[in-house]
Amino acid sequence: MTDDRNDRRTLLVDASVFITLADIGSLDLLRGTSGEVRMPEAVVEEVSSEPAERELESALGVWIASPTLERDRTSSEEWTDRLETAATHLTAVKSPSGALEIRP
């Protein structure tokens, strides 16, 4: 097995994992992972108990990325390109109206 530092992974974290690790003081396990730690916007909103909420507030934009933060810094054209790229991986097609539709 090779150790390729350019092959970085993305770790998606859900609320229960983050809250549990915050409760037991083990967020370093996430912080120390190889790759990017990301938390979807809905999950960010779900974290509302202490100490997790306080820890998340200090981690967002520092070692946890969230689409909410990126959306503020990304132009709508870039988001359209990203969504279209993602849609192709989900076997989506553009309908005559221009909307993306997921096809089986």
Side-chain angles (χ1 to χ4, degrees), residues 44-92:
V44 170
E45 293 172 9
E46 209 176 315
V47 176
S48 60
S49 63
E50 292 299 340
E53 187 174 23
R54 182 181 61 251
E55 294 286 348
L56 180 59
E57 191 174 298
S58 65
L60 279 173
V62 178
W63 62 272
I64 295 180
S66 175
T68 306
L69 299 173
E70 289 177 15
R71 195 172 306 125
D72 293 341
R73 293 182 234 140
T74 306
S75 74
S76 61
E77 289 175 4
E78 288 176 285
W79 272 105
T80 300
D81 291 343
R82 289 180 186 185
L83 289 172
E84 287 179 358
T85 299
T88 61
H89 293 287
L90 296 170
T91 62

